[in-house]
């Protein structure tokens, strides 16, 4: 072995020894999960499986899969019908009271859970969120609901009618979760004025400095986009991009949007600091393999 190789090796060993993969008390960083539309905290085929997988990979980790309501059924229904601002407030309260999270936590949101956890980061800085991982979250909303997960397709047909007839009316905004992140590019003005959730967290009406300040406390904001997504319209929303106003064909990438150039949310600053991570995965909405997860997401959970 050459002197150079030995030198490189010892540097590597130093780096390995010095790298803080665990907190000082030896506990792994806890993880908070927020499920998607029509799903629940504990479905053994979705969030239940994810929780188990993370627990297997990071021995001793505390994983909290959020249940919104007092039962699995309520949790699922609330993903359609409980005002998102109320959901976020409840989650903030729950996290603030959980003794296991007080040193900070990572969070991972699936589909709409991605933008909901971003609202938690922006509105509730304590306890601190370290990394935010959005798996197919729609940060610029959706303009279409082409289909819903299996058993709930009848609810979806009904929701689609409501969205098309009056997404920005007050009663629909207050009671229909998907209306609260409905983003109509043909009517940006109505969206900016009336969206009680997404337009607020995206600083469309005014700039709340604390949203900006709080979001910037994140170490990493990871956005996963499903490159063959047939459930989210447009899929570009998963990387914080959206249609150019006035039409629904051309997409403006995040970096070209006024949200970024005016830096209303601090995203440009975060991007320059290397805090934004854009990952793409081949496949339809929320389809990924364990191998992909372990290789690409697990590193952000330490
Ligand atoms: C900004 O956001 C914080 C946290 O949600 C809230 O308490 C405050 O009232 C907001 N400020 C304005 C001016 O809306
Ligand atoms: C985004 O901005 C860059 C640099 O200003 C420009 O070259 C590019 O064409 C723009 N892309 C879109 C899709 O607007």
């Amino acid at each position: 072995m050459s002197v150079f190789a030995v030198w490189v090796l010892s540097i590597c060993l130093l780096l390995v020894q010095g790298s803080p993969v665990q907190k000082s008390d030896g506990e792994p960083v806890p993880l908070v999960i927020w499920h998607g539309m029509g799903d629940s905290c504990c479905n053994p085929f979705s969030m239940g499986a994810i929780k188990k997988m993370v627990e297997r990979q990071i021995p001793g980790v505390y994983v909290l899969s959020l249940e919104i309501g007092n039962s699995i059924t309520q949790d699922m229904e609330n993903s359609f019908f409980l005002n998102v601002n109320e959901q976020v407030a409840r989650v903030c309260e729950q996290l603030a009271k959980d003794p296991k999270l007080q040193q900070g936590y990572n969070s991972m949101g699936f589909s709409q859970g991605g933008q909901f956890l971003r609202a938690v980061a922006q509105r509730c800085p304590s306890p601190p969120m370290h990394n935010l991982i959005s798996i197919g979250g729609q940060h610029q909303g959706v303009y279409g609901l082409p289909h819903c997960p299996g058993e709930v397709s009848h609810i979806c047909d009904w929701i689609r009618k409501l969205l098309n007839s009056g997404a920005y009316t007050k009663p629909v905004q207050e009671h229909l979760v998907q209306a609260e992140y409905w983003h109509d590019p043909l009517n940006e003005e109505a969206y900016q004025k009336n969206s009680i959730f997404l337009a607020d967290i995206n600083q469309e009406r005014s700039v709340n400095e604390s949203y900006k300040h709080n979001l910037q406390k994140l170490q990493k904001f990871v956005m996963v986009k499903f490159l063959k997504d047939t459930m989210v319209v447009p899929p570009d929303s998963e990387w914080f991009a959206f249609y150019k106003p006035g039409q629904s064909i051309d997409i403006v990438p995040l970096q070209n949007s006024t949200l970024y150039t005016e830096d209303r949310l601090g995203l440009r600053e975060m991007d320059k600091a290397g805090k934004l991570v854009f990952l793409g995965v081949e496949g339809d909405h929320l389809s990924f393999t364990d191998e992909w997860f372990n290789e690409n997401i697990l590193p952000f959970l330490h």
Side-chain angles (χ1 to χ4, degrees):
M1 203 189 288
S2 72
V3 173
F4 179 68
V6 171
W7 184 77
V8 169
L9 186 66
S10 48
I11 291 283
C12 289
L13 286 174
L14 272 176
L15 285 175
V16 168
Q17 282 168 352
S19 65
V21 290
Q22 296 194 323
K23 289 187 306 168
S24 51
D25 56 5
E27 294 287 320
V29 179
L31 175 65
V32 173
I33 296 176
W34 198 330
H35 62 77
M37 174 177 80
D39 201 359
S40 73
C41 59
C42 310
N43 181 339
F45 297 105
S46 64
M47 297 306 110
I50 297 283
K51 181 173 188 292
K52 280 218 176 95
M53 180 161 71
V54 172
E55 286 166 347
R56 231 183 3 253
Q57 296 292 336
I58 310 175
V61 70
Y62 171 57
V63 181
L64 171 66
S65 183
L66 293 165
E67 181 181 51
I68 314 296
N70 299 319
S71 67
I72 302 278
T73 310
Q74 269 187 12
D75 189 16
M76 197 197 94
E77 286 170 359
N78 286 340
S79 77
F80 295 105
F81 304 120
L82 180 64
N83 188 319
V84 183
N85 291 321
E86 166 68 20
Q87 296 194 43
V88 169
R90 284 193 196 177
V91 166
C92 286
E93 200 179 320
Q94 183 181 351
L95 303 187
K97 279 199 307 218
D98 190 327
K100 295 200 183 82
L101 300 177
Q102 299 314 302
Q103 303 305 309
Y105 65 96
N106 293 318
S107 80
M108 180 160 66
F110 289 83
S111 200
Q112 66 184 18
Q115 60 265 34
F116 299 172
L117 280 169
R118 177 162 61 84
V120 171
Q122 292 177 207
R123 291 178 183 167
C124 308
S126 171
M129 190 188 289
H130 297 175
N131 293 333
L132 167 59
I133 298 151
S134 161
I135 312 235
Q138 301 103 39
H139 295 281
Q140 277 293 2
V142 296
Y143 184 50
L145 203 64
H147 57 91
C148 282
E151 304 138 48
V152 293
S153 60
H154 58 288
I155 305 185
C156 265
D157 293 338
W158 184 73
I159 289 178
R160 206 172 294 117
K161 284 195 192 110
L162 274 179
L163 290 171
N164 290 325
S165 65
Y168 298 125
T169 59
K170 198 156 181 269
V172 175
Q173 279 293 311
E174 278 173 1
H175 300 289
L176 182 61
V177 165
Q178 288 69 39
E180 295 163 18
Y181 59 85
W182 186 253
H183 189 166
D184 182 347
L186 306 181
N187 202 346
E188 280 288 336
E189 209 179 293
Y191 158 70
Q192 292 176 2
K193 195 161 145 228
N194 301 305
S195 160
I196 62 168
F197 173 70
L198 194 67
D200 176 74
I201 62 165
N202 285 0
Q203 312 266 51
E204 297 289 1
R205 284 187 286 271
S206 58
V207 173
N208 185 326
E209 286 299 332
S210 64
Y211 282 4
K212 193 171 168 176
H213 180 73
N214 292 338
L215 193 65
Q216 289 188 314
K217 289 184 183 157
L218 288 175
Q219 289 164 15
K220 297 279 183 202
F221 175 16
V222 181
M223 285 174 262
V224 176
K225 172 179 168 185
F226 293 89
L227 302 173
K228 299 206 169 74
D229 203 316
T230 62
M231 268 190 65
V232 169
V233 182
D236 313 76
S237 185
E238 298 172 14
W239 278 351
F240 230 126
F242 203 65
Y243 296 117
K244 195 163 89 187
Q247 49 90 66
S248 57
I249 297 163
D250 297 334
I251 297 288
V252 182
L254 170 66
Q255 286 78 0
N256 294 43
S257 67
T258 56
L259 179 67
Y260 187 93
T261 54
E262 294 169 0
D263 214 15
R264 297 198 302 273
L265 202 46
L267 291 168
R268 191 180 58 194
E269 207 168 312
M270 290 176 76
D271 199 15
K272 301 280 180 253
K275 290 184 168 191
L276 301 186
V277 180
F278 299 90
L279 300 178
V281 53
E282 287 298 331
D284 203 349
H285 198 53
L286 306 187
S287 343
F288 55 83
T289 61
D290 290 9
E291 291 73 31
W292 177 85
F293 183 90
N294 291 340
E295 194 172 312
N296 295 282
I297 301 301
L298 212 53
F300 296 104
L301 298 185
H302 285 289

